[in-house]
Amino acid sequence: RQSQVQIRYNLGPTTPTDNLSGWNIENFSITGNYVEYDVGPVALLSPATGCGHSLAETVSIRIENFGPGATPDEIPVRYSIDGGATFSDEILNGAIAHEGQVEFDFAQKADLSIPGEYQLVLETALGVDEDSTNNRYDTTIYVDPSYSLPYVQDFENGTDFWRVEGLNSTFEFGSPMGSIIHTTASGLNAWVTNLDGEYGNDEDAYLVGPCFDFRGIDYPVFECKLYLSCESNTDGVFVEYSLNNGQ
C-alpha cells in the first residue's frame, strides 16, 4: 500500500510497418481490492518527559482514520507503559470521518510515580481494520526525580537519571581512555564525548539532568568539573535551564 502510484506507458518505435506513435488515451481506470477500514494511533499527547508525575497520570492519545470512509462507531484502543508486557484496554465511542483525527483520554490512569524510563505502546484493535502496519505507536518518556538542594554527584554509583539527548551524540558514560581526555575529576566515571576518541562532526548533543526544587532559594548556584577541548570559534559547550520541563 502506497500513498502514490505511478503509471508508465511504453510505446515502441514507429517503423514503416508499425505506426505506434501519436496514441491518445482519454479514459483510464484501475480496478481491484482496496482497504475499506484503516485506523491507528499517531501521537501521544500526555504524559510527557519531565518531573512531577504521579501514580494517576492521564494517558491522552490522538487517533487517525486512514480509510476511505468513516470508521465503525466503536474502536478498541489500549496502552502500555512497560513496552507491551501489560495493557489497559478501553473503547473509543464515535465514528471517525475520512482523514479525521480524534483525541482520546483513557479512564484508567498510569502510575508514573517511580522515576525512570517508560516504553509506552499505543494500539488500536479494530476487528475490520485491513492494514495492521499502522495499528501500533511506540514512544519513550523519561520520568525525572526532583531533588532538593544541596545536590552533589560524582557518578561513581551510576548515572543518577542523567541522560543523553540531541543529534549525532558521541556522549558515553564510563572511564575515559582517549588521547586527550583520559582521566576524571575524581573516581573512575564521567560523561565524555567518546570515551576513547574524539567527538563527532555535526554533533548537537547534550546531557539532561534531573529536576531540582529551588523553592526558598533566591540564587541557586551550579558548579561542575569540566574538561573541554574543541575546535576554536566553531564548537563549544554551554549550560541551559528550564522551568517547564524543557518546553
Side-chain angles (χ1 to χ4, degrees):
R1 183 180 180 185
Q2 303 292 332
S3 59
Q4 295 181 341
V5 176
Q6 293 182 337
I7 304 299
R8 178 181 180 183
Y9 297 97
N10 186 12
L11 301 180
T14 296
T15 67
T17 57
D18 297 313
N19 299 317
L20 302 178
S21 63
W23 287 20
N24 294 319
I25 298 177
E26 297 181 353
N27 300 309
F28 184 84
S29 66
I30 299 177
T31 61
N33 296 328
Y34 65 93
V35 174
E36 184 175 2
Y37 296 111
D38 182 19
V39 65
V42 294
L44 172 69
L45 304 179
S46 67
T49 291
C51 55
H53 296 79
S54 69
L55 52 76
E57 293 290 326
T58 298
V59 177
S60 179
I61 67 175
R62 180 177 293 125
I63 300 171
E64 183 171 347
N65 177 15
F66 303 102
T71 68
D73 292 333
E74 294 186 350
I75 302 174
V77 293
R78 62 181 189 166
Y79 78 87
S80 170
I81 63 173
D82 54 16
T86 59
F87 279 92
S88 297
D89 296 78
E90 296 185 18
I91 298 294
L92 186 157
N93 291 301
I96 306 175
H98 167 58
E99 295 185 341
Q101 293 184 342
V102 298
E103 297 179 4
F104 178 78
D105 294 340
F106 284 90
Q108 186 164 342
K109 307 297 183 180
D111 182 359
L112 301 179
S113 58
I114 300 176
E117 178 181 320
Y118 289 83
Q119 304 291 335
L120 269 76
V121 180
L122 314 176
E123 288 187 351
T124 55
L126 184 64
V128 293
D129 193 319
E130 299 175 71
D131 184 358
S132 61
T133 61
N134 53 18
N135 289 358
R136 173 167 171 153
Y137 181 91
D138 292 77
T139 189
T140 301
I141 69 169
Y142 297 92
V143 174
D144 298 319
S146 184
Y147 293 131
S148 300
L149 300 186
Y151 170 84
V152 179
Q153 182 56 250
D154 61 5
F155 298 116
E156 291 308 295
N157 294 316
T159 62
D160 194 28
F161 300 102
W162 290 71
R163 65 179 182 276
V164 178
E165 293 186 357
L167 301 175
N168 303 318
S169 174
T170 61
F171 265 113
E172 295 178 297
F173 176 77
S175 298
M177 298 176 291
S179 59
I180 297 176
I181 301 179
H182 49 77
T183 187
T184 64
S186 66
L188 299 176
N189 294 325
W191 284 100
V192 183
T193 49
N194 197 342
L195 287 171
D196 56 1
E198 299 179 353
Y199 64 89
N201 295 325
D202 301 319
E203 182 163 350
D204 185 17
Y206 45 93
L207 289 176
V208 179
C211 297
F212 299 98
D213 187 353
F214 288 166
R215 286 176 293 185
I217 300 176
D218 294 329
Y219 301 102
V221 176
F222 173 78
E223 179 182 354
C224 70
K225 300 292 180 65
L226 176 66
Y227 191 119
L228 177 63
S229 177
C230 62
E231 187 175 352
S232 180
N233 299 320
T234 301
D235 299 333
V237 177
F238 55 91
V239 177
E240 296 180 317
Y241 72 91
S242 171
L243 301 178
N244 58 2
N245 285 325
Q247 298 179 14

